[in-house]
Amino acid sequence: MDIGPIFRAMTRNKLGVILIALQIAFTMTVIINAIFIINERSRLMARPSGVDEANLFHLVSVGFGEGFNEEIAARDDMEMLRRLPGVANASVVNAVPVSGSGSGTGVRLTDDESSPSNFTAIYRVDEQAIDTMDLDIIAGEGFTIGDVRNRQRNSEAVSDITVLTETLARDLFPDEAVNDVVGNTVWVPGGIPLQVVGIVRQLQAPWQNNTIERSMLVPENVIDGSSMYLVRSEPGQRDRVMAEVEEALVAANGSRIIRDMRSLEETREGTYRIDSAMSTVLWVVIITLVFITSMGIVGLAVFGINRRRKQIGTRRALGATRPQILGYFMVENLLITGVGVTLGAVLTIAFSILLTTNFNMPAMGWHYTPLGMLALLAIGQLAVWGPSRGAARIEPAIATRSV
Amino acid sequence: MPIYYLRLAALSYKRNPVLSTLMVLAVSIGIGAYMVIFTLNYVMGGDPIPHKSEQLYHVQLDISEAGQDRQAPVQLTYLDATALMESAPAQRQTTTSKFGAILEPGNPELRPFSILGRGASADFFPMFDVPFIYGGPWSGDADDNLEQVVVLSRELNEELFGGQDSVGEQIRLHGTNFTVMGVIDDWNPVPKFYDVNNGPFDSGEELYIPWPLLVSMELSRSGNTNCFQAVEGSGLQAFLNSECVWIQYWAELPTAADRATYQSFIESYAAEQNALGRFQNDLSRNRLYDVEEWLIEEEVLPDETRILSALAAMLLAVCLLNTIGLLLSKFLGKAPEIGVRQALGAHKGSLFVQHVIEAGFIGLLGGLLGLAVASFGLEGIKILLGDDVMMTNWIQLNVPVVIVTIALAIVSTVIAGLYPIWRACNINPAIHLKTQ
């Protein structure tokens, strides 16, 4: 196919070329960056929390009235819940991963409070919690019932041992093997030393930031007016167990209320709601744009073909085959889209740099831009296919007719 | 004449309905999508209390370590909040924090339930223009004397007292009787500027009590608490004396002079504390922010809507480029008609006006349909966000947005039409007359 005449014909209709090329360029910029944002969000949402999310649920028990003793109520509740059929284990915790709310602290290797610290989430839990969450202990051991201390509200840490996540252990002790971290001492504010007794493979912090993999567990029971319970059901029985647990807790003690009962899956869905809404909105934008741009390509192609019906007829009369006519318009579109995606590549990269510098987004992978260019070229070819076939069907006889 | 041109525009629409409808669709989708995002930005980034936002100031005191260049704490410690409350020179000022408690309704048919409440000073209500249905705020003395008084939200009053005037009634909160002083109407400023770091798009709390009761009754705080140094010792008093921030602090300073006086008070307070060994960071970080400055400082407008507004602008651009192409086809297709009009004596000026009106007509239709697209889109976003993670009842078309939508649709279509219009006005009539 000779590109020369196609190119020269295009220069006679510069505006049409520019309009389509600009549409392609903007469409590509939006689509590629939107897909990158969607992928980025899905990646964040797909990070496992380290706990058995499918079978866990949590609730808060808040006492009222004079006779309520939180410590005794929690102990009785745990005894009752752990015996309930379908309950694998239950624990009193101060926070739940993925939920967005919890406690954090700085942790150091010395008691010198002016030295830099590593920020970490701190879970204050009972001795069963590591099993309730279904965490993998990769070094050392968990807690025993004798380790658990009661911690009154507004007081300092009272425990003297801790379990760290592997990431936190590596961040604190970069030069030591994970096994060797066990037995070391770390310090939390207030000059309190905690001996590391175990390491778990993974336990996400409750919040979604760049310290999400740093968590520590301490065997403490916080007495502050309300207790959070985390319950793991036997596989597949969660929904039934949730209903039964609520009934059993209400029946067991009338001077408290049960609130915020949710499965961890519901909690996750709520925490990432804005991210999933963002993804859906971006998909709608992508589909709308592809549709509008395709319509634009079709519209201008039909317009261009209709203006040139007579010339097409003449070419056919002079011996051009149908595939040659079809090819002419396909190649014309390829050239126009080519200009568009080249401009689009520049805009796409510029916009992604804007996102990286202004919105804490990571840099876009190099493969997005070339793949996007190919996709837009394909969309252009698909859109122009119909009108081009129409052009190819124009009869040579049209050349002999006057309008 | 304009009426005649409008009729011509309508006729022209009918003559070429597919092309015209495509144009209207392109304009409506572009404008509609842009308006969805514009509405989100307009409200989320808007001024929640426009008539007073320049008189209300958030007080920031920096207790972070020396040399710390991250953002200063957004809340105050108990020590500083009570010291300011005691002696800072403001017409009105308030401490405020969120708490959770159990409410036992007097009505034995209702089970006790947990509520989210807000501790506030008496000044909170007049400062923020909180609207009352019944009664009013408590007096300043009630704050000082730890009186057990409460202001209910309309919804809670509905639940507890069937919406009746409940002033003087008793409710039992956290095991203590409270007297109802007033009931407020629905009051949900967006963003919730007075407590932005505890859910800037959350709805207001269910009831309000004098803030000092949070401490005296040891109610459980439900907002963010951030300790800059370990608490020394244990118990409530240790916590109150600690470098833990958990209190929002606002002052009403109507004039520039008031602001200057307050600022210099804060500066001398900071210098005093610095001498005592606290406030070791850069002292200029102890300052006032008015509502808008504060919302910007706290980056309340989410990244999502800012990114989406750039993407929506590009979507609109694509739609308008599309419209240019379509208008070009349409106007050039009308060449014979334009030739006739020119031959009959229409000069370029009137052809120009005629086509501007025709483009504007398309824009108007696109804008009207765009409103439908926008309200559909906003409903969709409301469904996507659900009603449990944030307040969404403000997500709807409002008058300024409707006006902007229609105006933007017309103006942008006319601008998109300028080149096609220019081409249409410069058609050589002879060629087109000859072929007829």
Side-chain angles (χ1 to χ4, degrees), chain B residues 341-391:
Chain B
R341 275 181 55 83
Q342 269 184 305
L344 292 177
H347 53 78
K348 280 186 186 168
S350 52
L351 281 175
F352 180 79
V353 173
Q354 180 199 339
H355 288 99
V356 165
I357 288 180
E358 186 167 342
F361 180 70
I362 299 279
L364 176 66
L365 293 182
L368 290 175
L369 194 58
L371 282 181
V373 172
S375 62
F376 185 73
L378 287 170
E379 278 311 306
I381 286 191
K382 221 191 256 192
I383 292 168
L384 287 178
L385 289 178
D387 52 8
D388 53 336
V389 274
M390 65 191 267
M391 195 169 57

Side-chain angles (χ1 to χ4, degrees), chain A residues 135-386:
Chain A
L135 305 179
D136 286 344
I137 297 185
I138 55 171
E141 55 193 12
F143 305 131
T144 62
I145 192 157
D147 297 330
V148 182
R149 303 273 184 276
N150 275 339
R151 179 180 197 264
Q152 300 299 322
R153 176 156 63 163
N154 300 324
S155 67
E156 293 172 24
V158 289
S159 183
D160 49 13
I161 58 172
T162 181
V163 166
L164 312 179
T165 59
E166 188 179 357
T167 305
L168 179 59
R170 285 191 196 288
D171 289 348
L172 286 169
F173 301 94
D175 304 325
E176 287 184 46
V178 171
N179 275 319
D180 299 337
V181 174
V182 175
N184 277 299
T185 299
V186 297
W187 302 74
V188 291
I192 294 159
L194 297 172
Q195 197 192 11
V196 180
V197 295
I199 310 284
V200 291
R201 187 181 308 285
Q202 196 200 16
L203 169 61
Q204 278 190 345
W207 35 78
Q208 289 69 48
N209 62 10
N210 53 3
T211 60
I212 190 166
E213 295 298 340
R214 284 193 198 154
S215 302
M216 64 195 293
L217 298 123
V218 291
E220 283 175 2
N221 183 15
V222 186
I223 308 293
D224 66 349
S226 72
S227 319
M228 187 180 285
Y229 298 166
L230 184 67
V231 184
R232 179 161 61 89
S233 71
E234 297 293 352
Q237 301 189 38
R238 185 194 65 202
D239 295 343
R240 181 182 64 76
V241 170
M242 274 175 82
E244 287 177 12
V245 161
E246 178 152 30
E247 262 171 51
L249 287 173
V250 169
N253 192 331
S255 56
R256 57 103 178 273
I257 61 165
I258 303 300
R259 63 177 173 85
D260 299 341
M261 179 133 167
R262 248 176 259 136
S263 69
L264 203 52
E265 281 175 350
E266 286 171 80
T267 301
R268 166 175 285 273
E269 194 276 328
T271 297
Y272 289 104
R273 180 84 51 79
I274 291 183
D275 300 84
S276 56
M278 178 81 169
S279 298
T280 310
V281 169
L282 290 175
W283 275 121
V284 172
V285 167
I286 290 171
I287 291 166
T288 312
L289 262 180
V290 169
F291 179 74
I292 290 178
T293 306
S294 313
M295 286 299 107
I297 292 171
V298 170
L300 277 173
V302 168
F303 178 66
I305 289 166
N306 283 343
R307 270 198 332 188
R308 289 185 276 181
R309 291 183 79 81
K310 216 164 158 172
Q311 287 91 327
I312 295 167
T314 310
R315 270 199 72 192
R316 292 276 285 126
L318 291 176
T321 59
R322 284 189 172 169
Q324 276 174 326
I325 303 291
L326 181 75
Y328 176 94
F329 287 102
M330 300 296 281
V331 172
E332 185 188 62
N333 174 271
L334 201 61
L335 290 178
I336 299 176
T337 316
V339 174
V341 295
T342 311
L343 186 59
V346 176
L347 281 179
T348 302
I349 293 168
F351 193 78
S352 113
I353 291 174
L354 193 87
L355 288 184
T356 317
T357 47
N358 289 0
F359 298 103
N360 284 326
M361 293 265 305
M364 189 160 80
W366 65 269
H367 56 285
Y368 277 87
T369 308
L371 283 179
M373 292 170 83
L374 286 178
L376 265 288
L377 286 173
I379 290 172
Q381 293 287 291
L382 278 177
V384 87
W385 172 252

Side-chain angles (χ1 to χ4, degrees), chain B residues 107-156:
Chain B
N107 183 345
E109 285 168 25
L110 297 174
R111 278 189 54 77
F113 56 95
S114 74
I115 52 109
L116 274 181
R118 175 164 295 282
S121 311
D123 284 349
F124 179 92
F125 304 93
M127 266 176 86
F128 298 147
D129 280 341
V130 184
F132 276 83
I133 312 177
Y134 303 122
W138 56 81
S139 69
D141 293 341
D143 286 333
D144 299 337
N145 302 333
L146 302 175
E147 284 174 33
Q148 275 122 11
V149 289
V150 62
V151 164
L152 306 179
S153 68
R154 191 190 59 75
E155 235 169 288
L156 187 61

